Amino acid sequence: MEQREPDFLQNLQHELSDGKAWLGRTIVMGYAALAGLAVVVFTIMSETAFEWFSHGFAAYPWLVLIWIPAVTAAIVWATRRFAPSAAGSGIPQVMAALDPQLPAEHRSYFVSIKVTIAKMVLGSAGMLAGLSLGREGPSVQVAAGVMHDAKRWLRPGSAMNEHALLVAGGAAGIAAAFNAPLAGVVFAIEELSRKLESRNSGLIIAAIVLAGLMGVSAFGNYAYFGSMAVPQLGLAALLPSVLVVVACGALGGLFSRLLAASLTGSPDRFSDWRNRYPVRFAAGGGLAIAIIGLVSQGATFGAGGEEVRAMLGGESDVSKLYFLLKLVATWITTWCGVPGGIFAPSLSIGAGIGHDIAQFTLGPDQQLLLPAIIAMGMAGFLAAVTQAPLTSFIIVMEMLDGRPMVLSLMASAMIASLISRLISRPLYETLSEHMISKVTGKPVTHSNHH
């Protein structure tokens, strides 16, 4: 039987005749634009809040010893009182909402307009407190909450089911937060859906790109950390590169394991104290973060973007202990239970590891390699913590405009992620299973390592 060529006009007519499908697509794209806008607003709120904090810290540095514990305690109190599911990153919550073992009636506990608004307000408050957290993980929950709301307008059986809306929303959050649409698409496949249904994958990707465009139209098409000059990576780069990747894989795996143990409540005295007096624990954590910030002269406050820019530019005067102090500050921030992510702090910890190793191993004539080694540290540490190597290397590539480094970034993310897997279970998966069992009161049976 001969294959007929597609009849353009007939197909067009068929495509346009299904009005309900077009209505559904229009609703989805409208919500995707809203999701992108929500992330843009959240970005502006977070950055303004952190600017205010920085001005205050510059004027009255010692005041942080009172300010940070007080605001951290207030955030944790408000989170627990009004939106307990807004605590933490936001990515495990979206994964929990996507999990088939979660009864449908519990889904809006993790993603809803209410949770989105709480996440935006409380996440920005964390920046105002100067805590070591990022807005990128939370943007996933912010955008997913907006997209999930579209289901009330869609008829049952339409192309975009609830699952597809959540995948599109979560990935749109990454795309808009990092100004990295490609990372959003890969994140949807790697972390959220594991399998993209082909019948609506086009619409999902369109929604992700549209949300990403909202970020571009608000902030311009910029690379988050500027463009980097990449020299030829010869043999001189081999030793520092291997050291960076192994160090990031091992440290990232340990960090991931530490976070999982702290957040799922391992049996120790501190976790016991946190369970009994969460607000007092948060005040104590806030005090520790303030002291670390004073010791590092303010370098560990906030997401860490300024420090990364300085390191990449070769004008950084951060101490050799920066990566360790930043890691401890990020761990305590997360442990306190405030809404905030670990993506941006992980990038700055990885940059610190890369920067330190480059300082020890590169001669004065090899300083051109510094940005490349730092970039590999960023991709490696983020991949080790999240165990999402594809998303990690694409985020770093898009943030640095580092296309010439594609292969070395990919290799560092893949190898660091493999090393981390020997040390720790996937962090987001562990946390999402813990959240589901807390809500349903039943242990989650599967553990589908991917």
Side-chain angles (χ1 to χ4, degrees):
M1 197 175 114
E2 62 168 337
Q3 289 260 317
R4 297 226 334 270
E5 286 298 312
D7 179 339
F8 174 74
L9 287 173
Q10 193 185 343
N11 286 353
L12 186 67
Q13 195 182 355
H14 173 71
E15 199 50 49
L16 294 175
S17 65
D18 191 352
K20 283 185 176 156
W22 278 101
L23 180 65
R25 285 172 199 157
T26 311
I27 290 169
V28 169
M29 295 313 275
Y31 266 96
L34 284 175
L37 274 176
V39 174
V40 167
V41 171
F42 179 43
T43 301
I44 295 169
M45 285 166 65
S46 302
E47 289 182 353
T48 309
F50 187 63
E51 259 169 52
W52 291 349
F53 170 80
S54 302
H55 289 312
F57 177 66
Y60 310 105
W62 292 100
L63 211 67
V64 294
L65 293 171
I66 301 166
W67 173 252
I68 298 179
V71 181
T72 308
I75 294 169
V76 169
W77 175 83
T79 305
R80 294 177 68 90
R81 174 90 170 59
F82 300 110
S85 67
S89 150
I91 294 173
Q93 286 90 324
V94 175
M95 288 171 74
L98 281 163
D99 197 295
Q101 294 206 33
L102 183 76
E105 66 269 17
H106 290 306
R107 206 161 285 145
S108 57
Y109 172 75
F110 292 114
V111 281
S112 66
I113 297 289
K114 180 192 161 190
V115 174
T116 290
I117 293 167
K119 194 80 167 186
M120 289 166 73
V121 172
L122 296 164
S124 308
M127 284 295 191
L128 188 61
L131 299 173
S132 178
L133 47 84
R135 57 176 171 75
E136 290 79 11
S139 297
V140 170
Q141 196 178 10
V142 164
V146 175
M147 279 302 275
H148 184 250
D149 192 63
K151 81 173 197 322
R152 64 164 85 203
W153 306 105
L154 297 173
R155 69 184 203 281
S158 72
M160 288 289 266
N161 55 14
E162 214 171 343
H163 184 271
L165 285 171
L166 285 172
V167 170
I174 286 282
F178 281 113
N179 197 356
L182 186 58
V185 174
V186 174
F187 178 74
I189 297 166
E190 185 175 42
E191 274 296 307
L192 295 181
S193 78
R194 316 263 162 83
K195 56 179 197 311
L196 224 50
E197 298 161 35
S198 58
R199 74 187 183 117
N200 49 26
S201 59
L203 192 53
I204 290 180
I205 289 170
I208 296 167
V209 172
L210 180 64
L213 282 173
M214 291 290 147
V216 173
S217 51
F219 305 116
N221 193 5
Y222 68 104
Y224 194 93
F225 288 127
S227 290
M228 56 185 285
V230 182
Q232 282 305 113
L233 294 180
L235 281 173
L238 187 64
L239 175 69
S241 305
V242 170
L243 287 175
V244 164
V245 173
V246 172
C248 285
L251 287 165
L254 290 168
F255 182 52
S256 167
R257 194 162 170 170
L258 178 67
L259 287 176
S262 309
L263 293 175
T264 53
S266 61
D268 61 81
R269 195 178 303 159
F270 282 111
S271 292
D272 188 42
W273 184 42
R274 175 181 181 248
N275 289 339
R276 264 205 247 147
Y277 309 110
V279 179
R280 282 186 220 174
F281 183 86
L287 183 61
I289 293 159
I291 293 166
I292 293 170
L294 284 170
V295 168
S296 70
Q297 292 166 343
T300 55
F301 292 133
E306 291 307 309
E307 279 62 42
V308 176
R309 282 190 194 95
M311 285 185 231
L312 286 165
E315 60 233 24
S316 166
D317 52 356
V318 293
S319 78
K320 292 279 178 282
L321 285 173
Y322 170 74
F323 85 87
L324 192 63
L325 293 174
K326 184 70 181 164
L327 189 147
V328 175
T330 307
W331 167 49
I332 296 172
T333 297
T334 311
W335 200 9
C336 286
V338 297
I342 54 171
F343 260 82
S346 294
L347 288 169
S348 60
I349 295 165
I353 296 170
H355 183 260
D356 286 0
I357 288 177
Q359 296 295 1
F360 281 121
T361 53
L362 296 179
D365 53 334
Q366 299 169 326
Q367 287 303 308
L368 280 175
L369 293 172
L370 181 69
I373 303 295
I374 290 172
M376 289 165 77
M378 290 161 74
F381 192 80
L382 183 61
V385 174
T386 60
Q387 292 187 17
L390 292 174
T391 306
S392 302
F393 102 78
I394 288 174
I395 282 175
V396 174
M397 183 187 81
E398 290 192 278
M399 289 174 94
L400 290 166
D401 200 9
R403 283 173 194 74
M405 281 194 67
V406 161
L407 290 174
S408 39
L409 289 176
M410 197 190 296
S412 33
M414 293 292 182
I415 296 166
S417 176
L418 280 173
I419 294 171
S420 162
R421 266 166 212 225
L422 303 174
I423 300 170
S424 166
R425 285 194 60 217
L427 175 65
Y428 292 140
E429 203 174 293
T430 307
L431 295 180
S432 78
E433 286 174 10
H434 176 68
M435 286 171 184
I436 294 170
S437 62
K438 244 171 102 172
V439 169
T440 59
K442 295 197 288 278
V444 177
T445 49
H446 65 248
S447 150
N448 46 353
H449 288 305
H450 55 296

